Amino acid sequence: MANPRIRALTWWRKWAKRDWVIAAVGLTIILFSLTLLFDSRKPDDSSIFSRSSVDDHVPLTLLHRAKATGAFCLDGSLPAYHFQKGFGSGSNNWLLHLEGGGWCNSIGTCNRRKGSSLGSSKYMDRLVTFAGILSRHSSQNPDFYNWNKVKIRYCDGASFAGHPESEFKNGTKLFFRGQLIWEAIMDELLSLGLSNAKQALLTGCSAGGLATLIHCDDFRDHLPKDATVKCLADAGFFLDEPDILGSRTLRAFYDDVVKLQCLFPEEIIKNVRTPVFIVNPAYDFWQIQHVLVPIQSHPHGNWKRCRLSIKECNSSYIETLQGFRGSLLKALREFQKSEDGGIFINSCYIHCQTWLPETWHSPSSPRINNKTIAESVGDWYFNREASKLIDCAYPCNPTCYNMDFTGRL
Ligand SMILES: *[C@@H]1O[C@H](CO)[C@@H](O)[C@H](O)[C@H]1NC(C)=O
Ligand SMILES: *[C@@H]1O[C@H](CO)[C@@H](O)[C@H](O)[C@H]1NC(C)=O
Ligand SMILES: *[C@@H]1O[C@H](CO)[C@@H](O)[C@H](O)[C@H]1NC(C)=O
């Protein structure tokens, strides 16, 4: 149990043996489609949504060097990334974004992923739009717009931390090579100029946010000693909380509770040496739907509408949600004291916020103390100002984008 990263990997190895799933397959896709369902009281939405041009579409590059080490996606295809070259004063600066999309940990669910972009590069879009923290427009991305940017596609099902030992056989061919993918990607980017980085930021959302925490120090260790290197985890702070019936959904499939202690971000983060910024909504809809109120926890459907839209929650349910927020703040209490850390916990019902222009930085973005997430992260990254922003409890912040899934009922 010496090295925290090894422990984290042990976790994933153990995890991969368990027949459990947090089903967030296609989260990215869902998020994209739900962008349209945003609470759209804000008048200037349309202008924000339509502000992408041909230059914002970045082509997919297959990671050919992955062949040498067997760093394959779940289906055995090559992993991939999208790269946009930096310019001007950003030429030697690098921002890496690890894609999210839940996890798979049974033969069945990992097998199903093989037929999607989350398990095979065969299904990945050849062009993706770089927006929010990946945008090359200073109006959308004031501090990082001209950096080299890389979106690393997620196709291993285990936050870039799976290990060959955990592969299932039984006639089903699956590759659990997340750790090798991470290493192969690093080799490739180092050869493309990352090895000369002056400033670098590793980011990711959801499962990619957790991957950011897991790989943060390793990222740091690959870069020049005098480079400024930091990590930003968006919606990757998964709580080790019981659900409304008291069951530990995120724990339920472990047989070794003691080892579990080092699994959750609140444990990982204690051991990360590199400066970290945590962006997380206090009412992360993914965690509410999968950790706090998973389907099986409300067999009579009482929570049906509330877990799809915070506006539908009555006062007793809001109280439960406030309890969840309290647990998040408690889990972050130690981290809050760290000198070089940053925090942005807004009281919104949403999940990822860094790669959507309307939540990252726009005239109608969610703000705390009148600061957008982009401004807070920039202040922290460049040491302009301490950035530890925690919102007052729901419903106090009128700048929130609150997701509303009830339209799908
Ligand atoms: C593989 O098959 C064997 C025998 O059919 C079974 O005992 C084992 O649990 C299976 N392994 C997995 C990971 O499903
Ligand atoms: C909230 O709704 C649930 C389910 O419909 C109900 O059991 C509970 O009493 C309600 N609470 C209040 C304060 O209305
Ligand atoms: C909030 O920030 C904007 C710039 O981002 C500024 O124009 C505005 O005056 C600020 N509002 C307040 C109340 O400070």
Side-chain angles (χ1 to χ4, degrees), residues 339-361:
E339 252 170 57
D340 53 15
I343 300 183
F344 191 100
I345 306 294
N346 51 348
S347 288
C348 309
Y349 181 74
I350 194 160
H351 187 51
C352 295
Q353 300 183 94
T354 55
W355 51 253
L356 294 169
E358 41 288 285
T359 45
W360 171 244
H361 187 69

Side-chain angles (χ1 to χ4, degrees), residues 1-21:
M1 297 297 282
N3 177 325
R5 203 163 59 240
I6 303 286
R7 280 188 298 175
L9 294 178
T10 310
W11 163 42
W12 288 105
R13 269 205 290 281
K14 275 199 89 57
W15 219 18
K17 286 178 193 148
R18 310 307 305 178
D19 182 18
W20 76 282
V21 169

Side-chain angles (χ1 to χ4, degrees), residues 160-175:
F160 297 88
H163 190 281
E165 277 171 37
S166 60
E167 277 171 34
F168 298 111
K169 301 289 188 294
N170 283 15
T172 310
K173 192 109 180 107
L174 280 167
F175 296 85

Side-chain angles (χ1 to χ4, degrees), residues 213-263:
L213 295 175
I214 292 172
H215 293 296
C216 182
D217 283 340
D218 187 55
F219 180 62
R220 205 291 146 246
D221 293 343
H222 274 93
L223 298 190
K225 291 255 176 315
D226 58 354
T228 303
V229 182
K230 303 191 179 187
C231 302
L232 162 63
D234 177 15
F237 209 80
F238 296 95
L239 287 184
D240 178 19
E241 274 289 291
D243 67 23
I244 51 171
L245 291 184
S247 314
R248 297 247 170 205
T249 310
L250 270 183
R251 275 196 192 188
F253 305 90
Y254 296 119
D255 49 7
D256 190 340
V257 173
V258 176
K259 285 212 182 75
L260 182 69
Q261 298 309 318
C262 51
L263 312 191

Side-chain angles (χ1 to χ4, degrees), residues 301-303 312-317 319:
N302 294 353
W303 275 80
E312 301 282 334
C313 304
N314 69 19
S315 57
S316 26
Y317 290 168
E319 206 173 302

Side-chain angles (χ1 to χ4, degrees), residues 60-65 78-81 121-122 124 126 188:
L60 187 79
T61 305
L62 291 174
L63 186 63
H64 288 286
R65 74 172 64 223
L78 291 174
Y81 63 92
S121 53
K122 278 189 264 173
M124 291 175 187
R126 266 37 197 173
E188 175 109 341

